[in-house]
Coordinates of all heavy atoms in Angstrom, one line a residue:
Chain B
C138 N -29.9 10.3 6.2 CA -29.2 9.5 5.2 C -27.7 9.7 5.4 O -26.9 8.7 5.2 CB -29.4 10.0 3.8 SG -31.1 9.5 3.2
L139 N -27.3 10.8 5.9 CA -25.9 11.2 6.0 C -25.0 10.2 6.7 O -24.0 9.7 6.1 CB -25.7 12.6 6.7 CG -24.4 13.3 6.4 CD1 -24.2 13.5 5.0 CD2 -24.5 14.7 7.2
P140 N -25.3 9.7 7.9 CA -24.4 8.8 8.6 C -24.2 7.5 7.8 O -23.1 7.0 7.8 CB -25.2 8.4 9.9 CG -26.3 9.4 10.0 CD -26.5 10.0 8.7
F141 N -25.2 7.0 7.1 CA -25.1 5.8 6.3 C -24.1 6.0 5.2 O -23.3 5.1 4.9 CB -26.4 5.3 5.8 CG -27.4 4.9 6.9 CD1 -28.3 5.8 7.5 CD2 -27.3 3.6 7.4 CE1 -29.1 5.4 8.5 CE2 -28.1 3.2 8.5 CZ -29.0 4.1 9.0
V142 N -24.2 7.1 4.5 CA -23.3 7.4 3.4 C -21.8 7.5 4.0 O -20.9 7.0 3.4 CB -23.7 8.7 2.7 CG1 -22.6 9.1 1.7 CG2 -25.0 8.6 2.1
V143 N -21.7 8.3 5.1 CA -20.4 8.5 5.7 C -19.7 7.1 6.0 O -18.6 6.9 5.6 CB -20.4 9.3 6.9 CG1 -19.0 9.4 7.6 CG2 -20.9 10.7 6.6
I144 N -20.5 6.2 6.6 CA -20.0 5.0 7.0 C -19.6 4.1 5.8 O -18.5 3.5 5.7 CB -20.9 4.2 7.9 CG1 -20.8 4.9 9.3 CG2 -20.6 2.7 8.0 CD1 -21.9 4.5 10.2
T145 N -20.5 4.1 4.8 CA -20.2 3.3 3.6 C -18.9 3.8 2.9 O -18.0 3.0 2.5 CB -21.3 3.5 2.6 OG1 -22.6 3.3 3.3 CG2 -21.2 2.4 1.5
V146 N -18.8 5.1 2.8 CA -17.6 5.7 2.1 C -16.3 5.5 2.9 O -15.3 5.2 2.4 CB -17.8 7.2 1.8 CG1 -16.6 7.8 1.1 CG2 -19.0 7.3 0.8
A147 N -16.5 5.7 4.3 CA -15.3 5.6 5.1 C -14.7 4.2 5.1 O -13.5 4.1 5.1 CB -15.7 6.0 6.6
A148 N -15.6 3.2 5.1 CA -15.1 1.8 5.0 C -14.2 1.6 3.8 O -13.2 1.0 3.9 CB -16.3 0.9 5.0
R149 N -14.7 2.1 2.7 CA -13.9 2.0 1.5 C -12.6 2.8 1.5 O -11.5 2.4 1.1 CB -14.7 2.4 0.3 CG -14.0 2.4 -1.0 CD -14.1 1.0 -1.7 NE -13.4 1.1 -3.0 CZ -13.5 0.1 -3.9 NH1 -14.2 -0.9 -3.7 NH2 -12.8 0.2 -5.0
L150 N -12.7 4.0 2.1 CA -11.5 4.9 2.2 C -10.4 4.2 3.0 O -9.3 4.3 2.8 CB -11.9 6.2 2.8 CG -12.3 7.4 1.9 CD1 -12.6 8.6 2.7 CD2 -11.1 7.6 0.9
N151 N -10.9 3.6 4.1 CA -9.9 2.9 5.0 C -9.1 1.8 4.3 O -8.0 1.6 4.6 CB -10.6 2.4 6.3 CG -10.9 3.5 7.2 OD1 -10.3 4.5 7.2 ND2 -11.9 3.3 8.0
G152 N -9.8 1.2 3.3 CA -9.1 0.1 2.6 C -8.3 0.7 1.4 O -7.7 -0.1 0.7
L153 N -8.4 2.0 1.2 CA -7.7 2.5 0.0 C -6.2 2.7 0.3 O -5.8 3.2 1.3 CB -8.4 3.9 -0.3 CG -7.8 4.7 -1.4 CD1 -8.3 4.1 -2.7 CD2 -8.1 6.2 -1.3
D154 N -5.5 2.3 -0.7 CA -4.0 2.4 -0.5 C -3.6 3.9 -0.7 O -3.8 4.4 -1.8 CB -3.3 1.5 -1.6 CG -1.8 1.6 -1.5 OD1 -1.3 2.2 -0.6 OD2 -1.2 0.9 -2.4
Q155 N -3.1 4.5 0.4 CA -2.8 5.9 0.3 C -1.7 6.2 -0.7 O -1.6 7.3 -1.2 CB -2.3 6.3 1.7 CG -3.4 6.4 2.8 CD -4.5 7.3 2.3 OE1 -4.3 8.5 2.0 NE2 -5.7 6.7 2.3
R156 N -0.9 5.1 -1.0 CA 0.2 5.3 -2.0 C -0.4 5.7 -3.4 O 0.3 6.3 -4.2 CB 1.0 4.1 -2.0 CG 1.8 3.9 -0.8 CD 3.1 3.1 -1.0 NE 3.9 3.0 0.2 CZ 3.7 2.1 1.1 NH1 2.8 1.2 1.0 NH2 4.5 2.1 2.2
L157 N -1.6 5.2 -3.7 CA -2.2 5.6 -4.9 C -2.2 7.1 -5.1 O -1.9 7.6 -6.2 CB -3.7 5.1 -5.0 CG -3.9 3.6 -5.3 CD1 -5.3 3.3 -5.4 CD2 -3.1 3.2 -6.5
L158 N -2.6 7.8 -4.0 CA -2.7 9.2 -4.1 C -1.3 9.9 -4.2 O -1.1 10.8 -4.9 CB -3.5 9.8 -2.9 CG -4.9 9.1 -2.7 CD1 -5.5 9.7 -1.4 CD2 -5.7 9.3 -3.9
E159 N -0.4 9.3 -3.4 CA 0.9 9.8 -3.5 C 1.5 9.5 -4.9 O 2.2 10.4 -5.4 CB 1.8 9.1 -2.5 CG 1.5 9.6 -1.0 CD 2.3 8.8 0.0 OE1 3.0 7.8 -0.3 OE2 2.3 9.2 1.2
A160 N 1.2 8.4 -5.5 CA 1.7 8.1 -6.8 C 1.2 9.1 -7.8 O 2.0 9.6 -8.7 CB 1.3 6.7 -7.2
A161 N 0.0 9.5 -7.7 CA -0.6 10.4 -8.6 C 0.1 11.8 -8.5 O 0.5 12.4 -9.5 CB -2.1 10.6 -8.3
R162 N 0.4 12.2 -7.2 CA 1.1 13.5 -7.0 C 2.5 13.4 -7.5 O 3.0 14.3 -8.1 CB 1.0 13.9 -5.6 CG -0.4 14.1 -5.1 CD -0.4 15.0 -3.9 NE 0.0 16.3 -4.2 CZ 0.2 17.2 -3.3 NH1 0.0 16.9 -2.0 NH2 0.6 18.4 -3.6

Side-chain angles (χ1 to χ4, degrees):
Chain B
C138 288
L139 199 58
F141 293 94
V142 176
V143 173
I144 282 166
T145 314
V146 176
R149 174 89 180 190
L150 264 182
N151 284 334
L153 178 79
D154 184 3
Q155 290 304 305
R156 290 205 175 87
L157 285 184
L158 308 179
E159 284 178 354
R162 298 204 64 188

